[in-house]
Amino acid sequence: MNFDDNKELFIEEARELLAKMEAALLSLEKEPGNGELINEVFRALHTIKGSGAMFGFDGMSAFAHGFENMFDDMRKGSVGVSSDIIGLSLRSLDCLSAWLDDGEAHESQASIERELEAIKATLRSGSTSAAAEPAVEPTAGRGGADDDSDGLTNLYRIRFSPSRDLLTRGVKVENLFGDLAELGQYYSYADVDGVPGLDAIDPTGLYLSWIIDLSTSAPVEDIRSVFIFVEDYAEIRIETLEVVDQAGKPSVPRIGEILANRGALAKEDVDIIHQKQKPFGELALESGKLSKPALEAALAEQRMAKAAAGERESRKESSSIRVRKEKLDYLIDAVGELVILEARLREEARTSGMSAFEGIAENLGRLTSDLRDATMNIRMVPLEESFSGFHRLVRDLGSQLGKEIDLVIAGANTEMDKNIIEALKDPLVHIIRNSADHGIEAPELRAKLGKPRAGTIRIEARQQGSKVEIAISDDGAGLDIERIKAKGVERGLIDATERDPKRIMPLIFEPSFSTAARTTGVSGRGVGMDVVKSNLERLRGEISLDSEPGRGTRILLSIPLTLVIVDGLLVRVGAVTYVLALNQVEECVDVERSEVLGDGKRRIINLRGKTIPLIDLRDVFEMDRSDDSGAQRLVIVDAEGMTVGFRVDGVVGKQQVVIKPFTMNLRQVPTIAGATILGDGSVAFILNIREIFKSQRQSEPLAREGATT
């Protein structure tokens, strides 16, 4: 094994283990009697300890070993779960994370080790280690659906052939079987063919090898970690045994097939015995070519295969493969270029008038669309990946602020582009910190107000069409409207006569805006909420705010699922082509000039009894007005929950577009979200519907829509 080449893979997997341990520890604090959570932390520490030593993280491995022993004592019941131990364990995870980041110990490691040693000192007299005995019958273990796996029960055959000198290296083979028992149910068969005569036996030598059938829902990586310290001194093979056929139906092998695969019988002997009309096992014993223990082991494997197949029959099998993020980014970019090339081919086919050429372009367009959707889905991951770390954040904030805070998460299985999730993490952290510091009251004050002592921060996510909505709410004091208004007037951001809360509350998103009387380690420096807004705008997202005094605050984030390829509607204004996001377009209509009421920017139409304000895109981009005496071509869109009609000169058609980001200078144009390359090689600008609507509303109030006549 080339350890240097695999070091980055170890670091990535170790980070995942740390995240899972953190979640398990936080759950364990609420469920101190949950042995499964203790086992989960123990196994993760065991893996990090062994793998860390293999990849040169000796200090980290030694540090993890100390905590592994403590959780081993917890499993045996000699150490109880307490908030102090959970807190110490969480701090230890920070130290392990520091090793992965810098290859050096965290500054708090020494104090943590002293606290850990103090705990051990009080237990040392009663702490003993009981070695697990190797199993000779199927041994019940954990192996439940709470494992860090896909939840499906798999059957593995492990061939463990240790070197003759394994025992002289201080290895206790029985401990390996004990670790396997933690993963699930197993049956072990000892192969004694390598044992010499009594006069030739070396008392320090190990002559046995084992075939072990393991039924578990744990991933194969957990099985490998059991043998991590002996893999250099043994031959270890792990085979996945099929328990379902290609159609997903139970498929249990016959005894003869199992014996042949295990090497207990030759294939030709199996065929000979099959020709006789007796149960195979009975005939195999009569032939003298098979021992009774070997047959019992094969029968045990068959029973376990039947059990595993039964569990999987009603469940869908899933599998995954780890792919580096850079490779996915390249794939997305390549598909984006393919979309552009397909559009050019389609345009050339249309202008050439060659029917065969057009058919090829049409088929390619369909395949490109399918490839685009499949590629986008590859990078879609559950929000749980980002949300899981917030439990630790809220716990630490509550401790730091002297408050009792519960975090409730709903919709964590909602999926988004991984790059967007990463960009959302900082804004979400800012919002949660503000909710904890400014929103949630102190326990004593909440009790006086008739509220539960513990405040609640709630995060909810759901998919709405091509967007994901994330709502962060708290049941705290709510925003102090008058204080925000006073600060806004002081800074010249709002008029003193303003009374509309919907215009006052958004001031908290202004740069350096803070109403805090003092700064703390959590907030109050005037940074944070403006960062939230700017980050959301970079993601082409929207943010809205609602608050009620004494009841709490709710912040709603609306973010597109992906940022690279979108379905767009091409429209023409003058000689320029623009793109509207198709998911925001409701319909395209032609109306006579006589149906348009009003003049200037205050124009409206009555569409099927609904009053809709109009925006002329020629006005937005300061173009000369076209002759508007004839029919008016309108694109009806949804802008911030309000229906608006955009007047255009022509509708070109629907097309997939690849969004190309602007340089820094062009990003200053708020009404343009980006650009794309069309099939004829020309450039089209992607309109920011939200900003267009906002700029027109600020320059001259639009007629209120929604009235009926």
Side-chain angles (χ1 to χ4, degrees):
M1 178 187 292
N2 189 327
F3 292 145
D4 291 336
D5 291 345
N6 291 278
K7 187 174 181 179
E8 287 300 319
L9 180 60
F10 158 70
I11 292 175
E12 184 178 349
E13 292 179 342
R15 291 192 194 284
E16 292 180 2
L17 287 173
L18 291 178
K20 290 176 180 177
M21 274 194 286
E22 183 176 272
L25 287 168
L26 293 170
S27 298
L28 186 61
E29 188 172 30
K30 299 177 181 177
E31 306 174 57
N34 192 326
E36 295 300 327
L37 294 172
I38 295 174
N39 282 330
E40 185 176 338
V41 176
F42 173 80
R43 290 194 307 273
L45 285 168
H46 179 76
T47 302
I48 288 178
K49 176 193 73 174
S51 300
M54 289 174 58
F55 290 98
F57 291 88
D58 296 328
M60 183 184 75
S61 178
F63 181 69
H65 181 59
F67 275 89
E68 178 194 14
N69 289 339
M70 184 177 73
F71 276 88
D72 191 28
D73 290 336
M74 284 186 187
R75 295 195 307 164
K76 298 170 184 174
S78 56
V79 176
V81 178
S82 67
S83 293
D84 290 340
I85 287 181
I86 295 296
L88 184 64
S89 300
L90 289 170
R91 287 163 54 203
S92 77
L93 297 189
D94 295 336
C95 289
L96 292 171
S97 181
W99 276 106
L100 296 175
D101 290 338
D102 309 322
E104 298 179 357
H106 192 271
E107 58 184 12
S108 63
Q109 178 170 326
S111 64
I112 292 175
E113 288 176 327
R114 286 193 296 269
E115 292 180 55
L116 180 61
E117 193 57 38
I119 294 174
K120 290 180 180 178
T122 62
L123 302 160
R124 196 164 288 145
S125 59
S127 63
T128 57
S129 296
E133 293 296 326
V136 295
E137 286 296 327
T139 303
R142 182 181 51 81
D146 291 334
D147 295 335
D148 299 329
S149 68
D150 57 8
L152 296 175
T153 300
N154 294 295
L155 185 60
Y156 299 96
R157 181 186 295 143
I158 307 166
R159 299 181 186 271
F160 174 44
S161 304
S163 63
R164 187 73 52 83
D165 62 348
L166 184 68
L167 298 179
T168 63
R169 298 180 181 275
V171 176
K172 294 184 178 180
V173 177
E174 60 268 28
N175 289 345
L176 301 178
F177 289 93
D179 289 343
L180 288 176
E182 292 294 333
L183 298 180
Q185 186 182 48
Y186 76 87
Y187 187 99
S188 63
Y189 170 70
D191 186 350
V192 298
D193 289 346
V195 179
L198 188 61
D199 56 347
I201 287 182
D202 177 358
T204 64
L206 179 60
Y207 298 93
L208 299 176
S209 61
W210 285 268
I211 298 178
I212 307 163
D213 294 318
L214 174 66
S215 177
T216 178
S217 58
V220 70
E221 290 77 10
D222 283 6
I223 303 175
R224 292 195 180 99
S225 69
V226 169
F227 300 95
I228 198 168
F229 297 115
V230 299
E231 61 182 2
D232 291 336
Y233 318 111
E235 180 184 350
I236 302 163
R237 286 189 291 161
I238 303 174
E239 308 167 51
T240 302
L241 304 181
E242 295 297 334
V243 295
V244 295
D245 59 21
Q246 292 182 347
K249 300 295 182 181
S251 176
V252 179
R254 302 174 69 178
I255 288 295
E257 181 183 346
I258 294 175
L259 289 168
N261 289 337
R262 293 169 69 96
L265 275 179
K267 180 65 169 59
E268 52 271 23
D269 291 331
V270 171
D271 294 338
I272 292 173
I273 296 172
H274 263 310
Q275 295 172 6
K276 302 180 179 180
Q277 298 299 314
K278 283 186 179 182
F280 186 91
E282 181 181 339
L283 292 171
L285 287 177
E286 290 178 1
S287 71
K289 296 181 181 294
L290 181 71
S291 66
K292 189 172 182 179
L295 175 60
E296 290 175 348
L299 290 170
E301 179 178 318
Q302 189 181 52
R303 290 195 298 271
M304 294 169 73
K306 287 179 180 178
E311 285 194 37
R312 294 180 61 153
E313 183 175 11
S314 61
R315 305 179 67 175
K316 184 178 179 180
E317 183 177 4
S318 62
S319 58
S320 62
I321 184 171
R322 187 183 300 273
V323 180
R324 295 190 66 84
K325 178 176 172 294
E326 294 80 5
K327 292 183 178 180
L328 288 181
D329 290 341
Y330 172 78
L331 178 61
I332 295 290
D333 290 341
V335 170
E337 295 302 320
L338 181 61
V339 169
I340 294 174
L341 189 60
E342 182 271 327
R344 293 190 63 184
L345 178 62
R346 184 164 14 94
E347 179 66 18
E348 290 293 333
R350 185 185 65 81
T351 56
S352 69
M354 298 173 60
S355 58
F357 198 19
E358 291 178 353
I360 294 173
E362 182 179 345
N363 289 333
L364 179 61
R366 186 164 51 250
L367 289 173
T368 302
S369 179
D370 292 343
L371 179 61
R372 179 205 67 169
D373 294 341
T375 305
M376 291 301 176
N377 286 333
I378 292 175
R379 208 163 62 178
M380 303 291 278
V381 297
L383 284 167
E384 183 179 10
E385 180 178 308
S386 178
F387 286 0
S388 60
F390 294 148
H391 288 284
R392 171 76 182 279
L393 172 66
V394 170
R395 181 189 187 275
D396 291 348
L397 286 172
S399 176
Q400 186 177 350
L401 296 168
K403 298 179 180 180
E404 299 175 17
I405 308 174
D406 294 328
L407 177 65
V408 178
I409 294 177
N413 58 342
T414 305
E415 293 187 337
M416 286 188 73
D417 188 304
K418 183 175 177 63
N419 287 351
I420 299 180
I421 290 179
E422 292 174 354
L424 275 177
K425 189 169 185 179
D426 283 345
L428 290 172
V429 167
H430 282 304
I431 295 173
I432 292 172
R433 289 169 71 92
N434 272 13
S435 293
D437 196 11
H438 300 309
I440 303 296
E441 308 95 337
E444 296 76 15
L445 177 57
R446 290 180 64 87
K448 289 180 181 178
L449 295 171
K451 293 183 174 182
R453 287 179 59 86
T456 300
I457 297 176
R458 184 177 182 86
I459 304 177
E460 299 177 88
R462 62 175 181 170
Q463 184 174 339
Q464 288 287 89
S466 61
K467 291 191 174 184
V468 168
E469 291 184 348
I470 302 175
I472 308 96
S473 58
D474 64 67
D475 63 350
L479 295 178
D480 189 334
I481 302 296
E482 292 303 318
R483 196 167 185 175
I484 295 173
K485 176 182 174 181
K487 190 71 174 181
V489 171
E490 177 187 325
R491 292 186 51 185
L493 299 173
I494 199 169
D495 191 88
T497 60
E498 182 61 64
R499 296 183 181 276
D500 185 359
K502 294 187 178 298
R503 292 180 63 85
I504 297 174
M505 288 189 295
L507 292 177
I508 67 171
F509 296 113
E510 292 294 326
S512 304
F513 191 94
S514 175
T515 59
R518 60 185 178 85
T519 61
T520 69
V522 176
S523 61
R525 293 177 172 81
V527 295
M529 298 308 288
D530 62 313
V531 174
V532 171
K533 184 179 179 182
S534 60
N535 283 2
L536 260 292
E537 288 175 347
R538 278 198 292 271
L539 295 173
R540 301 203 319 277
E542 302 172 4
I543 184 168
S544 60
L545 180 67
D546 189 25
S547 182
E548 185 176 348
R551 299 291 297 274
T553 302
R554 184 176 187 266
I555 296 177
L556 180 66
L557 313 180
S558 180
I559 312 103
L561 285 170
T562 183
L563 300 178
V564 182
I565 305 174
V566 297
D567 287 321
L569 180 71
L570 274 58
V571 298
R572 181 176 51 79
V573 181
V576 183
T577 302
Y578 295 96
V579 180
L580 295 166
L582 194 61
N583 66 292
Q584 292 181 279
V585 175
E586 295 185 357
E587 60 180 313
C588 299
V589 297
D590 288 340
V591 298
E592 296 298 327
R593 177 64 183 89
S594 59
E595 299 179 59
V596 179
L597 306 177
D599 55 16
K601 295 182 180 179
R602 305 193 57 156
R603 295 184 178 187
I604 61 173
I605 63 167
N606 186 302
L607 185 63
R608 295 186 292 274
K610 187 177 183 180
T611 301
I612 298 177
L614 302 183
I615 296 176
D616 193 327
L617 288 181
R618 282 182 171 268
D619 292 338
V620 173
F621 298 110
E622 299 180 352
M623 298 181 182
D624 293 335
R625 279 185 175 273
S626 61
D627 179 15
D628 60 0
S629 59
Q632 309 278 296
R633 181 147 294 180
L634 305 177
V635 179
I636 310 301
V637 302
D638 176 75
E640 294 189 329
M642 183 175 179
T643 304
V644 178
F646 282 159
R647 187 198 170 196
V648 299
D649 294 336
V651 175
V652 179
K654 184 180 74 171
Q655 182 175 315
Q656 287 183 4
V657 297
V658 180
I659 300 175
K660 297 292 185 179
F662 278 150
T663 61
M664 188 58 67
N665 291 335
L666 288 175
R667 289 179 190 171
Q668 307 305 314
V669 183
T671 54
I672 301 296
T676 189
I677 301 174
L678 300 178
D680 60 1
S682 63
V683 174
F685 296 105
I686 300 169
L687 298 181
N688 188 330
I689 295 176
R690 174 175 173 269
E691 288 296 330
I692 292 174
F693 175 68
K694 186 167 70 173
S695 65
Q696 294 297 299
R697 185 172 56 182
Q698 290 173 347
S699 63
E700 184 173 352
L702 294 169
R704 181 177 178 83
E705 68 90 19
T708 57
T709 59

